[in-house]
Amino acid sequence: MLQTDFLDYLIESPGTWYLFCWNFMIWAMLQIHFLDCVLESDFSNLVCALLLDVLTARKSRLFEPATYNRIKRKPSKSCCKWIGIVCNVFGSVTEINLTSSNLKGNLSNLENLGISDNSLTGNLPENICLGGKLKRISAYNNHFTEMLSLTSVDVSYNQLEGSLPHLKAFIEAPIEALENNRGFCCREKIHENGGVANEEAFESETSILTKIRHRNIIKLYGFCLHSRHSFLVYEFMERGSLAKILTDDGKAVELVWAMRVNVVKGLANAVSYMHHECCPCVVHRDISSKNVLLDGDYEAHLSDFGSARTVDPDSSNWTSFAGTFGYAAPELAFTMEVNEKCDVYSFGVVTLEVIMGSHPGDLISSLPPPSSSSSSATIHHEILFGNVLDQRLSPPRSQIAKQLVSIAHTAFACLQANPQSRPTMKQVSDKLAASSPSLSVPLDLITLQQLFDPPTWTS
């Protein structure tokens, strides 16, 4: 009875309860000599929590607004007074903000960082990840997946690997914010509410990419097929699409002539592999600059096989139109037959786009038909090849100049109006791999008309 009466008395007298709790806490700390700030705060919270649990179990009205306001306190001597530390009224740390804290020192030996079950804000010191020894970051239960207000991220140069969070800040992050990591993979959502077209694209992509392997074809790490959401998990390409690079002046300048030559060669090798080394033959049907992705070394990787089809030589191989306008072969306007020559034409368009720096639509539309008129030939006699090259780069010299002439010559052959006049991708790949012949005239004197003559194929 005495104990119950005493507790009732404390509850009815909040001020007395507060003094009792505080004095008891101070007495306990002095007895155990808890002089450290963090331990003091934790211990005080523990003592008060235990007493409060006992009392609130009997009288919940202790925390009615009027009563609570009278016993509310601020911690006195604790780490809550440190810069960047925010505590609640009971002295518990609720926020650590290290933004602009002028932190100094070396964290290169840090191997494990645990920040779970917090509501942290601000930036971690950059040398946490640059030290080279950080192996694990435990950050669960911080609601990172719900940070819808996050507008930008920069996780470059951290040797990170794994799947990127499906957040807007990561999805729209520039390549520079993600570069120089060990191996990211990206996730693409194919469809949300089903649909025959999306399901066919998903089936085509998974069926083909799980069977073919080439260094210039995007790697499929896995996929998830579900009635509502279907996902493909690809190898992450740091530089993004070729189309995005060519439309950005700053990034286009970084894609120098030697890199562009390698992009064309890599793409030719990928398509040649699909046409001549896969059985049955695989036709992509949507080769375009947006479907050519570049890794950190600017090596080309053909992607997006949702429209791809395998070609059966014993069947008609007719299907609905697929492709991107401006890259699709002209015969697809009146025939729906799938064959390798459609890819050859698209390759020619992308190749000219790489060396010109923009889509060659105007140039292609002015190409002379099979029975060219004298006026059309005169126009192209007057256009210098050097003037249609990407003017954002310095004029190519020496070996690169010879390679560009050979590439342009091959590209125009791929754009022949008659599909049967186009070379095979095996011929294209072999020609680009061979040594380019010396130029008979300087580069700045070569006209487009000189590049229209069909090349001599070796295979």
Side-chain angles (χ1 to χ4, degrees), residues 27-99:
W27 171 83
M29 286 188 293
L30 289 176
Q31 292 297 316
I32 310 177
H33 303 289
F34 272 25
L35 301 180
D36 182 84
C37 168
V38 176
L39 291 178
E40 174 188 336
S41 177
D42 292 343
F43 186 72
S44 63
N45 291 336
L46 176 62
V47 173
C48 284
L50 290 174
L51 290 173
L52 286 174
D53 286 343
V54 173
L55 295 174
T56 53
R58 295 181 57 83
K59 301 288 186 176
S60 60
R61 66 178 182 273
L62 177 64
F63 286 105
E64 292 177 353
T67 305
Y68 174 77
N69 290 334
R70 287 199 299 269
I71 68 171
K72 183 173 60 176
R73 64 177 177 83
K74 290 185 179 181
S76 55
K77 180 184 177 183
S78 74
C79 53
C80 296
K81 292 186 177 181
W82 296 356
I83 297 176
I85 303 296
V86 177
C87 299
N88 61 17
V89 294
F90 293 105
S92 298
V93 176
T94 59
E95 179 181 337
I96 301 176
N97 190 333
L98 302 179
T99 303

Side-chain angles (χ1 to χ4, degrees), residues 374-437:
S374 57
S375 60
S376 175
T378 301
I379 293 175
H380 293 99
H381 268 304
E382 298 174 352
I383 300 178
L384 296 175
F385 174 57
N387 290 341
V388 301
L389 295 178
D390 195 339
Q391 301 300 304
R392 294 172 293 188
L393 300 183
S394 301
R397 303 295 180 187
S398 185
Q399 182 67 22
I400 295 296
K402 294 191 298 181
Q403 289 179 310
L404 288 177
V405 171
S406 178
I407 286 174
H409 198 192
T410 303
F412 285 122
C414 294
L415 297 175
Q416 293 287 328
N418 181 0
Q420 301 308 315
S421 299
R422 299 169 196 160
T424 66
M425 286 307 302
K426 179 69 164 58
Q427 292 173 322
V428 170
S429 178
D430 290 344
K431 182 175 179 58
L432 297 180
S435 299
S436 302

Side-chain angles (χ1 to χ4, degrees), residues 162-361:
S163 177
L164 292 173
H166 197 63
L167 295 173
K168 182 179 180 181
F170 282 92
I171 295 173
E172 300 180 355
I175 297 300
E176 294 78 10
L178 305 175
E179 63 184 355
N180 285 284
N181 284 289
R182 183 168 299 172
F184 280 143
C185 57
C186 60
R187 180 179 65 177
E188 177 181 330
K189 183 162 68 174
I190 300 301
H191 68 90
E192 186 167 343
N193 296 316
V196 176
N198 286 330
E199 291 177 0
E200 290 180 351
F202 185 87
E203 182 180 355
S204 173
E205 188 116 14
T206 55
S207 174
I208 291 176
L209 285 181
T210 53
K211 298 175 183 176
I212 62 178
R213 292 288 186 276
H214 192 274
R215 65 177 297 168
N216 296 112
I217 294 178
I218 194 74
K219 291 182 178 63
L220 177 67
Y221 287 144
F223 61 90
C224 174
L225 179 61
H226 189 268
S227 59
R228 294 185 56 191
H229 302 281
S230 293
F231 296 95
L232 296 172
V233 182
Y234 295 110
E235 176 185 13
F236 179 71
M237 294 286 106
E238 293 187 20
R239 305 292 178 182
S241 71
L242 176 62
K244 186 175 181 180
I245 291 178
L246 293 177
T247 54
D248 185 308
D249 290 343
K251 294 179 180 178
V253 172
E254 296 177 359
L255 191 65
V256 297
W257 290 122
M259 293 177 180
R260 298 190 188 206
V261 169
N262 289 334
V263 167
V264 173
K265 290 181 177 180
L267 180 59
N269 292 338
V271 184
S272 176
Y273 164 80
M274 292 161 48
H275 289 183
H276 302 281
E277 297 183 42
C278 293
C279 186
C281 162
V282 176
V283 179
H284 188 279
R285 300 207 301 160
D286 194 15
I287 297 175
S288 65
S289 57
K290 67 180 176 62
N291 289 333
V292 177
L293 306 181
L294 305 184
D295 62 18
D297 297 324
Y298 292 95
E299 186 168 9
H301 297 259
L302 185 59
S303 69
D304 196 347
F305 283 72
S307 301
R309 294 290 184 272
T310 55
V311 175
D312 184 354
D314 298 326
S315 64
S316 60
N317 297 304
W318 285 64
T319 184
S320 58
F321 173 81
T324 301
F325 290 105
Y327 297 89
E331 63 268 21
L332 294 178
F334 53 84
T335 180
M336 294 293 113
E337 183 180 5
V338 177
N339 58 63
E340 302 95 312
K341 298 298 184 179
C342 300
D343 282 352
V344 175
Y345 183 93
S346 301
F347 169 82
V349 178
V350 174
T351 298
L352 287 183
E353 185 174 358
V354 171
I355 64 177
M356 293 176 60
S358 60
H359 188 274

Side-chain angles (χ1 to χ4, degrees), residues 102-172:
N102 194 28
L103 297 176
K104 297 180 180 179
N106 190 349
L107 296 175
S108 60
N109 292 317
L110 182 64
E111 296 185 2
N112 293 281
L113 176 63
I115 53 174
S116 303
D117 294 293
N118 289 293
S119 300
L120 301 179
T121 62
N123 299 320
L124 292 173
E126 64 176 12
N127 60 352
I128 284 181
C129 294
L130 294 181
K133 293 187 177 182
L134 185 61
K135 300 176 181 177
R136 180 175 181 269
I137 297 179
S138 176
Y140 59 86
N141 201 20
N142 270 294
H143 305 290
F144 291 145
T145 57
E146 299 175 5
M147 292 192 298
L148 301 181
S149 60
L150 185 65
T151 58
S152 64
V153 294
D154 187 348
V155 293
S156 57
Y157 297 89
N158 279 301
Q159 298 300 306
L160 301 176
E161 59 183 329
S163 177
L164 292 173
H166 197 63
L167 295 173
K168 182 179 180 181
F170 282 92
I171 295 173
E172 300 180 355

